[in-house]
């Protein structure tokens, strides 16, 4: 009886694993076939789609037909995401070091739930706070309309804090205790031990957390959409409105007909997001492998 139960559990596990693989491959196949239709069915060149700046998929342009240039969307996603990571990554590492190495027991019991609370707040709440507080502040004190790149990356930087902090904290806590004791035995101060031993030793985990935060920022739609203005043009400053790939997809998906150029172009942007996810996953694997080798 025990043998049959073990075999049943084994085959059930294989079935679940196979189901996950089939679902993943099906999603990749579906998005790829729909996204590539823009180029192989509608005849749009890859160069025009990736580097074109005009987005007129529903009406003829001066060139004689609909134009689906997604460069403003791609550029907006890159700018907003990378600025958010540049702001939140140093702050997250500092907080992680404080939690893992400096904070007393009661401090950890207070900070950890606060970080988990930040992670549990829905995206629409972040977006609504940014719309109600951040956008008017930028408009009244910094200029512009308030809906801007600045509002977008400030909201995103808060949203990705829990991801980077959690991964960085776990990486610091996973380090052998002997390394810290050896540094103290050599006469290092606490700050020297943190700066020259612990943080460099945990850099693979910290970089993994930063990449995960970047992936979260790149794929966020609702909160960013509420504060960036959703203007389809290349921005000249961080106070200008902009739009992103995810915002364009969510705003336009309800106005398209399945199989049309407009619909296929949106699937092509979804394919770009999928490829970016693959890139982030490969980056994490390479960083983790390099950390293990070292």
């Amino acid at each position: 009886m025990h043998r049959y139960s073990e075999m049943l559990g084994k085959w059930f596990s294989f079935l679940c694993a196979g189901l996950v693989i089939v679902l993943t491959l099906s999603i990749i196949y579906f998005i790829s076939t729909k996204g590539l239709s823009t180029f192989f069915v509608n005849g749009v060149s890859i160069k025009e789609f990736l580097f074109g700046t005009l987005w007129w998929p529903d009406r003829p342009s001066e060139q004689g037909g609909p134009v689906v240039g997604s460069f403003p969307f791609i550029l907006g996603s890159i700018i907003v995401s990378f600025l958010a990571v540049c702001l939140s990554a140093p702050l997250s590492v500092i907080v992680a070091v404080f939690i893992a190495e400096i904070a007393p027991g009661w401090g950890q019991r207070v900070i950890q739930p606060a970080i988990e609370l930040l992670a549990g707040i829905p995206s629409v709440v972040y977006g609504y706070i940014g719309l109600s507080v951040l956008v008017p502040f930028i408009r009244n004190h910094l200029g512009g309309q308030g809906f801007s790149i600045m509002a977008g990356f400030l909201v995103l930087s808060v949203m990705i804090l829990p991801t980077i902090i959690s991964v960085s904290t776990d990486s610091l806590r996973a380090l052998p205790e002997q390394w810290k004791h050896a540094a103290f035995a050599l006469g290092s101060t606490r700050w020297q031990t943190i700066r020259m031993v612990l943080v460099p030793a945990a850099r693979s985990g910290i970089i993994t957390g930063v990449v995960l935060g970047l992936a979260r920022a790149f794929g966020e739609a609702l909160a960013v959409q509420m504060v960036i203005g959703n203007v389809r043009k290349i921005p000249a400053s961080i106070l200008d409105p902009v739009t992103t790939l995810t915002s364009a997809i969510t705003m336009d998906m309800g106005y398209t007909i399945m199989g049309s150029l407009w619909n296929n172009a949106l699937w092509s942007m979804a394919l770009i997001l999928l490829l970016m996810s693959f890139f982030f996953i490969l980056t994490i694997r390479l960083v983790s492998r390099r950390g293990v080798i070292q």
Side-chain angles (χ1 to χ4, degrees):
M1 186 66 182
H2 177 72
R3 180 182 177 183
Y4 289 114
S5 299
E6 184 177 348
M7 290 183 61
L8 180 62
K10 178 180 178 181
W11 285 110
F12 183 73
S13 300
F14 279 130
L15 178 63
C16 292
L19 179 61
V20 171
I21 295 174
V22 170
L23 287 175
T24 303
L25 293 177
S26 300
I27 292 173
I28 294 173
Y29 174 78
F30 180 77
I31 296 178
S32 299
T33 53
K34 298 292 289 186
L36 293 176
S37 297
T38 304
F39 314 113
F40 296 105
V41 176
N42 301 112
V44 178
S45 67
I46 297 178
K47 180 180 179 181
E48 176 188 348
F49 179 77
L50 293 179
F51 301 104
T53 58
L54 299 179
W55 180 259
W56 293 337
D58 57 336
R59 62 182 186 271
S61 65
E62 297 178 356
Q63 286 74 23
V67 178
V68 285
S70 62
F71 183 71
F73 309 135
I74 298 173
L75 183 63
S77 295
I78 293 174
I79 291 175
V80 173
S81 301
F82 275 91
L83 287 177
V85 169
C86 289
L87 178 62
S88 62
L91 180 60
S92 299
V93 174
I94 293 173
V95 174
V97 169
F98 179 78
I99 294 174
E101 301 296 333
I102 299 175
W106 63 267
Q108 297 181 15
R109 290 191 295 269
V110 171
I111 298 176
Q112 200 68 39
I115 296 173
E116 295 173 357
L117 180 62
L118 284 177
I121 296 176
S123 299
V124 65
V125 176
Y126 281 109
Y128 189 65
I129 294 174
L131 181 63
S132 303
V133 179
L134 191 57
V135 170
F137 178 84
I138 294 175
R139 182 192 306 123
N140 297 330
H141 295 85
L142 299 178
Q145 300 176 0
F147 297 96
S148 58
I149 295 174
M150 176 177 287
F153 82 75
L154 288 177
V155 170
L156 270 184
S157 63
V158 177
M159 294 182 64
I160 65 177
L161 277 175
T163 301
I164 306 178
I165 292 174
S166 299
V167 177
S168 300
T169 302
D170 293 339
S171 300
L172 289 169
R173 287 175 174 171
L175 296 177
E177 195 72 17
Q178 295 88 338
W179 294 1
K180 187 193 305 182
H181 295 163
F184 288 151
L186 292 174
S188 300
T189 62
R190 174 192 282 184
W191 170 243
Q192 289 173 332
T193 301
I194 293 173
R195 182 172 60 90
M196 303 178 67
V197 177
L198 301 181
V199 172
R203 66 181 178 274
S204 62
I206 294 174
I207 294 175
T208 299
V210 173
V211 175
L212 287 174
L214 180 60
R216 167 77 189 280
F218 205 87
E220 180 56 43
L222 184 57
V224 177
Q225 179 182 337
M226 296 173 68
V227 298
I228 60 173
N230 303 302
V231 175
R232 293 161 178 164
K233 68 175 185 178
I234 297 177
S237 70
I238 61 173
L239 296 179
D240 287 344
V242 74
T243 191
T244 62
L245 289 169
T246 52
S247 298
I249 293 172
T250 55
M251 288 190 302
D252 291 358
M253 66 170 57
Y255 303 100
T256 62
I257 301 174
M258 187 68 67
S260 64
L261 173 60
W262 193 354
N263 183 265
N264 290 336
L266 295 180
W267 282 112
S268 298
M269 289 193 285
L271 180 59
I272 293 176
L273 292 173
L274 180 64
L275 294 176
M276 290 301 300
S277 298
F278 286 160
F279 173 75
F280 293 138
I281 293 172
L282 290 176
T283 302
I284 292 173
R285 291 183 66 87
L286 290 175
V287 170
S288 302
R289 183 178 303 175
R290 184 178 178 184
V292 172
I293 293 174
Q294 291 179 347

